[in-house]
Amino acid sequence: MPDTAFYERQRTALEEIGAQGLTKPERVLLSRQGVHVRLRGEDGREVDAINLCANNYLGLAGDQRVVAAAIAATSAGGAGFASVRFICGTHEFHKELEREIAGYLGYEDSILFAAAFDANGAVFEPLLDDQDAIVSDSLNHASIIDGIRLCKAKRYRFANNDMDDLETQLKAARADGARTILVVTDGVFSMDGYLANLTSITHLAGRYQALVMVDDCHATGVVGPAGRGVAALQGVADKVDIVTGTFGKALGGAMGGFIAARREVIDILRQKARPYLFSNALAPSICGASLAAIEIARGAEGDDLRRQIVRNAAHFRGAMTEAGFKLNPGQHPIIPVLLGDARLAQNMARELLDLGVFVTGFSFPVVPKGQARIRTQVSAAHTPADLDFAVEAFVKAREICGASAQ
Ligand SMILES: *Cc1c(COP(=O)(O)O)cnc(C)c1O
């Protein structure tokens, strides 16, 4: 007898998600990723749109130099290595990329993963055990939460960016007799665009003799001098012990993650991290694209692109605020348009696509219930005209959806 009740439960769960307006539709791109894309609209028609929802902060995902580097690396190394790193999957490409990212961010060494999700899943369990403590920001990325679950260390959670609560939790961990304490935070909180207060976090960590780990996925290449991240922006890069990041956002947008830290940390992860030991080595194309993207990001062109992001973000924030939209304050190119209702966020996103602007509504469980939003992300590759077009479309979509200015 087939377990029909099992399939019935899945259908019921899907219906419940749909009834709450929480289904996440996937739009199908038909072009290269970039600030102007072609995609398939709801009725099957092809639509040209301005893309305002990619993590393509420097505009490098479709950059011809990055694409050419991926092709050249594929020609040299093949489609992939058909092996984990320690069997026969380590290529000079990997060593070069590990040296490059470590040098860029100022660490002794780094280690590559298939994704930052895997890096965060890998990092805790080999380094800490039940004698240790992890103190984690309540809004940390899902992959950090999952990684912590895989580790036996005692868990303490502090309210998002709340330094008093962080100190309370550090005191509690010390009082409970923790051997090593690791404070872990996102550098940029991706649903809000807020930066972690790493100045205070590293200061408090110093007082309680704790290590600090930062997941800088939305910052590497984007934030701080030469794009070195949030800690560099705040002048405390030398006080962060472990950084995790991704090649899937500003640094070319292919995929792949990394951990940068002191040599003994990276060496032990190479021996013990399960997503490293039991998963395929990064493909040459990803290494080639990422190396080309880092070269651009850390140089003078990167500085120009970062200045353009700052200008674009200020321009878009100003125009949207003037048009009566409620945004989270800040400077980061993540600019959430707060709408509250999940269905409104979805309907607005649908209307916006009809109007030639590609954005995505975010609702529970990605953000808390009742805090649905359209998260926009500006890129250095947007022109002021692109952004003005998008603001006009937002105003029209709000009218069509019958929502009022805030
Ligand atoms: C995007 C993101 C990740 C996951 O990165 P992938 O390389 O796509 O797996 C992890 N942490 C944070 C904070 C992110 O924003």
Side-chain angles (χ1 to χ4, degrees):
M1 268 293 276
D3 187 350
T4 50
F6 166 79
Y7 296 103
E8 187 55 38
R9 279 201 305 281
Q10 312 314 317
R11 280 196 297 274
T12 306
L14 283 168
E15 278 160 21
E16 276 165 17
I17 292 168
Q20 292 173 291
L22 300 178
T23 305
K24 290 170 279 301
E26 294 179 5
R27 307 285 178 213
V28 178
L29 291 169
L30 302 167
S31 65
R32 193 178 276 196
Q33 184 63 288
V35 294
H36 298 112
V37 289
R38 173 160 293 185
L39 49 140
R40 198 169 349 264
E42 205 119 286
D43 51 6
R45 213 164 27 94
E46 295 190 5
V47 184
D48 289 313
I50 290 170
N51 190 351
L52 262 182
C53 55
N55 302 311
N56 188 19
Y57 297 114
L58 301 179
L60 297 178
D63 185 283
Q64 196 49 42
R65 294 164 295 175
V66 175
V67 172
I71 292 169
T74 299
S75 293
F81 296 107
S83 173
V84 299
R85 290 283 300 273
F86 84 90
I87 299 179
C88 58
T90 295
H91 190 277
E92 183 58 26
F93 287 140
H94 300 123
K95 303 312 282 179
E96 209 183 323
L97 183 53
E98 285 172 343
R99 273 196 303 273
E100 187 63 25
I101 198 75
Y104 178 30
L105 300 180
Y107 289 86
E108 285 180 359
D109 202 359
S110 79
I111 176 173
L112 304 175
F113 292 87
F117 202 105
D118 282 334
N120 285 331
V123 68
F124 302 105
E125 187 262 341
L127 298 174
L128 304 168
D129 67 24
D130 55 9
Q131 300 182 62
D132 304 310
I134 299 172
V135 182
S136 177
D137 188 289
S138 62
L139 284 193
N140 275 344
H141 191 264
S143 55
I144 294 178
I145 294 167
D146 287 7
I148 292 172
R149 281 191 190 137
L150 296 170
C151 170
K152 293 201 171 67
K154 285 213 188 70
R155 302 164 199 173
Y156 301 82
R157 204 167 80 138
F158 63 101
N160 178 230
N161 245 337
D162 181 333
M163 294 301 110
D164 291 334
D165 196 23
L166 171 58
E167 180 155 23
T168 303
Q169 301 307 319
L170 284 165
K171 274 191 185 136
R174 276 282 162 247
D176 293 344
R179 180 180 58 182
T180 286
I181 302 176
L182 174 64
V183 180
V184 54
T185 182
D186 284 10
V188 178
F189 294 95
S190 59
M191 288 302 131
D192 293 304
Y194 296 146
L195 306 192
N197 183 352
L198 293 180
T199 310
S200 298
I201 289 173
T202 52
H203 177 73
L204 278 171
R207 283 208 359 231
Y208 290 87
Q209 255 212 342
L211 299 172
V212 176
M213 171 183 143
V214 177
D215 173 347
D216 237 1
C217 278
H218 282 280
T220 313
V222 184
V223 173
R228 288 193 166 88
V230 176
L233 175 73
Q234 298 177 4
V236 293
D238 58 333
K239 296 189 171 63
V240 172
D241 298 277
I242 301 172
V243 174
T244 60
T246 184
F247 304 114
K249 291 182 173 128
L251 297 181
M255 65 185 303
F258 62 85
I259 299 168
R262 278 171 58 161
R263 179 149 297 118
E264 53 268 45
V265 168
I266 300 305
D267 284 348
I268 201 77
L269 291 172
R270 276 192 215 287
Q271 299 307 313
K272 295 179 84 172
R274 292 165 67 83
Y276 186 80
L277 291 178
F278 296 97
S279 189
N280 206 25
L282 280 194
S285 62
I286 295 169
C287 300
S290 303
L291 281 163
I294 294 168
E295 192 185 330
I296 295 168
R298 67 185 297 186
E301 185 179 346
D303 289 337
D304 288 342
L305 293 171
R306 280 181 288 276
R307 274 191 287 272
Q308 191 59 45
I309 294 178
V310 170
R311 277 195 295 270
N312 282 351
H315 180 87
F316 189 66
R317 280 177 184 279
M320 286 290 282
T321 303
E322 200 158 297
F325 287 97
K326 191 174 163 207
L327 314 176
N328 275 350
Q331 274 91 47
H332 195 272
I334 291 175
I335 305 173
V337 182
L338 305 175
L339 297 165
D341 181 62
R343 228 177 255 99
L344 175 61
Q346 295 239 339
N347 291 343
M348 285 262 300
R350 193 175 309 121
E351 293 302 335
L352 278 159
L353 186 57
D354 268 350
L355 294 163
V357 175
F358 184 20
V359 291
T360 304
F362 285 76
S363 51
F364 184 79
V366 183
V367 295
K369 281 198 171 135
Q371 295 184 32
R373 64 198 63 185
I374 288 175
R375 181 184 70 173
T376 64
Q377 293 167 281
V378 303
S379 167
H382 286 118
T383 63
D386 290 335
L387 298 172
D388 291 340
F389 179 90
V391 175
E392 258 177 57
F394 261 95
V395 171
K396 281 186 207 147
R398 181 174 58 196
E399 281 168 21
I400 294 166
C401 294
S404 52
Q406 308 260 345

